[in-house]
Amino acid sequence: MIINHPLLGPRDRQEFTYLGDACLIDRPDWQAGNAMDQFYEYVYLRDDPAGEHRELWYHEHGDRSWLVVTRNTVTHEITNVELASDVARKQGRSK
Amino acid sequence: MRYSGLRVIREALNGQKGWKPAWRNPEPKPNYDIIVIGGGGHGLATAHYLATKYGEKSIAVVEKGWIGSGNAGRNTTIVRGDYTLPPNTRFYDHSVGLWEKMERELNFNVMHSQRGLLFVHHNDSERDDHYRKTNIMRMQGTDGEILGPEQVRKMYPSMNFDGRFPITGAYLHRRGGTARHDAVVWGYARSADRRGVDILQNCEVMGFRIEQGKVLGIETTRGFIGARKVGVSVAGNTSRVMDMAGIRTPIESHVLQAFVSEGLKPIIPGQVNYGAGHFYISQSDKGGLVMGGDLDQYNSCAQRGNLPVFESVIEAAVTLFPMLSRARLLRAWGGLQDMSMDGHAVIDETPIKGLYLNGGWCYGGFKATPAAGECFAHLLSTEQPHELAKPYRLDRFRTGYLLDEKGQGPNPNRQ
């Protein structure tokens, strides 16, 4: 599997480690009234599709950036790669 | 038809004309009391126990392909009971006990062979960990013992004892072993069928019919089938089948690969686990060396794996048994594992009345087959959890009563 890094170009999958569903970017507010429920869902409930899946990969043996990779879990075809920091900024986060 | 040595001789003299199919291929009825989704080892064991132990009369097992075409036919056939958390030790010890009497109970040769599981260690900290594990298991009444390097050398003279990671000893679990995985499926299918269970193959579930929070039946490729209770036992497809019922599960699908060599003369008498990497090996009765290692470590529904894991497994194989460098691989396959967030299973009711779940077995479902079937049958029939399965709750992730045997946290790809 080759991941097309937005800054470094095509890199082998073995340079990366995998974290999981890209929803892990959106950490809930710990001060919210229902923080317990939100954290339960954040930590334990993730999408598990047979098809397109947005997920977090870490370029551990490279530039150590976090990526959001859109990959098909049946064919392993990768259709989109973004820097996780760009994804977070687009959602209005400051860093 | 009862199978026996006498029957084999009689059929040999009659030109093998008396054998009958071991199970029927019936048309679905419009209604059943209990439907079990998933015709693998767990689903068929559940049907077997529902019919034999709990006296249920109207049962169907639905399977999207042919029985045993999922993980029951895609594993490395290891049976063991070496867990340390008390609920797990009790459950798997019971399971090993059921394996020991399975062949008599089913009148079917599942080739269960308690040839012993050996976990080698290479340094002091691994040895200490094995002592700890062995002590915990012995205190709870299951078996485990520590061997010195000389005892290990006597059992497996072909291992490389003095390589990059010298072998300093091992932990041995004598009641562990292997079984013929397909025979387990066939044995349970035959037993369930003889007691009137309808095994509906090529019958894929497309959705549930749920009204006012109660399940009324399932929509399948062979039409609607009504049921009072539905049990989901679909291993690697758990999260997607439960999604159809609108229930999100703390489960992800990952792929685990296995490899088998060409048939060789008997060289590896038991089952061996490497300590300096993730690798395990045993030899099937046909002579093939069955090997496996890590998960591919990212979500996958592909039922096939990628090459980096293959490479690491083969490297470990040749490091531990240098003689294997000349053996040829015959086949490789991948099974979908329903990896849960704490590495352990769920046998529980769901928020929908009449819908029950047996899933999240990760890569350890095969050894649990008889006990999971018994506990799930108990739950489906009595609507109360079996004593052994009480800790295997679906809501334990919310309440915090996790069964995190390895202490990995909510990282299914690393369990």
Side-chain angles (χ1 to χ4, degrees), chain B residues 13-181:
Chain B
L13 298 174
N14 280 343
Q16 313 285 359
K17 287 186 192 119
W19 300 112
K20 302 223 161 42
W23 55 85
R24 299 160 297 135
N25 218 349
E27 284 299 309
K29 290 179 199 147
N31 276 293
Y32 293 93
D33 279 350
I34 299 175
I35 292 179
V36 179
I37 302 173
H42 283 222
L44 292 162
T46 305
H48 160 82
Y49 282 108
L50 278 170
T52 54
K53 193 171 168 193
Y54 296 97
E56 295 288 343
K57 301 280 179 238
S58 165
I59 311 163
V61 176
V62 298
E63 162 59 46
K64 75 171 173 182
W66 63 94
I67 57 169
S69 59
N71 282 3
R74 291 168 175 271
N75 58 66
T76 45
T77 77
I78 295 161
V79 177
R80 60 186 167 93
D82 57 335
Y83 283 74
T84 50
L85 292 177
N88 290 346
T89 318
R90 279 198 297 274
F91 181 89
Y92 287 104
D93 194 52
H94 179 68
S95 194
V96 170
L98 291 176
W99 276 101
E100 285 165 349
K101 54 188 183 189
M102 183 187 289
E103 293 175 343
R104 268 165 292 153
E105 199 179 317
L106 299 180
N107 176 230
F108 203 91
N109 181 10
V110 300
M111 297 164 76
H112 179 223
S113 150
Q114 292 179 299
R115 50 184 73 181
L117 265 61
L118 189 83
F119 296 74
V120 296
H121 48 247
H122 310 267
N123 54 43
D124 291 354
S125 55
E126 278 182 353
R127 181 203 58 203
D128 293 351
D129 185 53
H130 279 166
Y131 266 110
R132 174 185 157 273
K133 186 170 180 176
T134 312
N135 287 340
I136 293 173
M137 284 163 52
R138 291 174 75 129
M139 281 167 71
Q140 297 185 72
T142 183
D143 78 301
E145 59 196 272
I146 299 289
L147 305 182
E150 287 316 309
Q151 287 165 289
V152 181
R153 203 185 284 267
K154 213 175 268 177
M155 290 172 77
Y156 292 95
S158 55
M159 276 197 306
N160 183 6
F161 282 79
D162 312 306
R164 170 70 181 81
F165 300 103
I167 293 168
T168 56
Y171 139 65
L172 178 66
H173 176 50
R174 284 192 194 275
R175 285 171 79 204
T178 62
R180 170 90 165 91
H181 52 344

Side-chain angles (χ1 to χ4, degrees), chain A residues 1 13-14 17-19 37 40 43-50 53 57 71 73-76, chain B residues 239-240 248 250-253 296-302 304 306 308 341 397-398 402 410 413:
Chain A
M1 226 157 68
R13 167 259 177 277
Q14 281 188 286
T17 52
Y18 177 80
L19 183 67
D37 287 335
Y40 160 68
V43 175
Y44 295 117
L45 300 183
R46 301 173 197 172
D47 286 340
D48 183 27
H53 186 227
W57 288 78
R71 180 180 61 94
T73 60
V74 179
T75 61
H76 298 319
Chain B
S239 39
R240 280 166 304 286
R248 294 190 83 194
I251 288 170
E252 278 182 4
S253 304
D296 271 26
Q297 306 226 327
Y298 43 84
N299 292 36
S300 175
C301 297
R304 62 184 163 75
N306 280 335
M341 293 286 166
F397 300 92
R398 191 186 282 277
L402 299 178
N413 56 323

Side-chain angles (χ1 to χ4, degrees), chain A:
Chain A
M1 226 157 68
I2 304 285
I3 295 175
N4 193 8
H5 192 298
L7 303 176
L8 304 174
R11 313 296 302 188
D12 191 87
R13 167 259 177 277
Q14 281 188 286
E15 295 178 9
F16 296 82
T17 52
Y18 177 80
L19 183 67
D21 194 325
C23 72
L24 290 169
I25 292 179
D26 303 313
R27 196 179 174 83
D29 175 10
W30 64 274
Q31 289 176 307
N34 60 347
M36 277 293 273
D37 287 335
Q38 285 194 41
F39 268 97
Y40 160 68
E41 290 183 15
Y42 172 74
V43 175
Y44 295 117
L45 300 183
R46 301 173 197 172
D47 286 340
D48 183 27
E52 268 201 357
H53 186 227
R54 286 179 80 236
E55 54 204 19
L56 284 167
W57 288 78
Y58 177 55
H59 199 192
E60 189 174 25
H61 301 292
D63 71 344
R64 295 197 275 166
S65 56
W66 282 95
L67 305 180
V68 174
V69 176
T70 308
R71 180 180 61 94
N72 188 310
T73 60
V74 179
T75 61
H76 298 319
E77 185 193 7
I78 292 172
T79 46
N80 194 25
V81 185
E82 297 165 274
L83 287 172
S85 54
D86 288 348
V87 174
R89 272 197 208 97
K90 255 187 265 169
Q91 292 172 0
R93 294 248 301 268
S94 58
K95 55 179 182 176

Side-chain angles (χ1 to χ4, degrees), chain B residues 72 86 98 201 215 218 244 247 251 293 316 365 373 385:
Chain B
L98 291 176
Q201 304 185 77
V215 71
I218 53 172
M244 292 180 197
I247 296 172
I251 288 170

Side-chain angles (χ1 to χ4, degrees), chain B residues 248-322:
Chain B
R248 294 190 83 194
T249 45
I251 288 170
E252 278 182 4
S253 304
H254 288 263
V255 71
L256 181 67
Q257 301 189 60
F259 311 93
V260 62
S261 77
E262 61 192 333
L264 300 166
K265 293 219 168 146
I267 42 173
I268 296 178
Q271 200 267 343
V272 182
N273 298 266
Y274 188 38
H278 195 173
F279 167 72
Y280 48 91
I281 185 166
S282 61
Q283 189 167 21
S284 77
D285 290 346
K286 227 161 38 173
L289 298 168
V290 186
M291 297 170 266
D294 270 325
L295 292 173
D296 271 26
Q297 306 226 327
Y298 43 84
N299 292 36
S300 175
C301 297
Q303 286 199 323
R304 62 184 163 75
N306 280 335
L307 286 172
V309 168
F310 166 79
E311 204 177 347
S312 84
V313 167
I314 299 308
E315 278 171 2
V318 174
T319 311
L320 190 59
F321 291 100

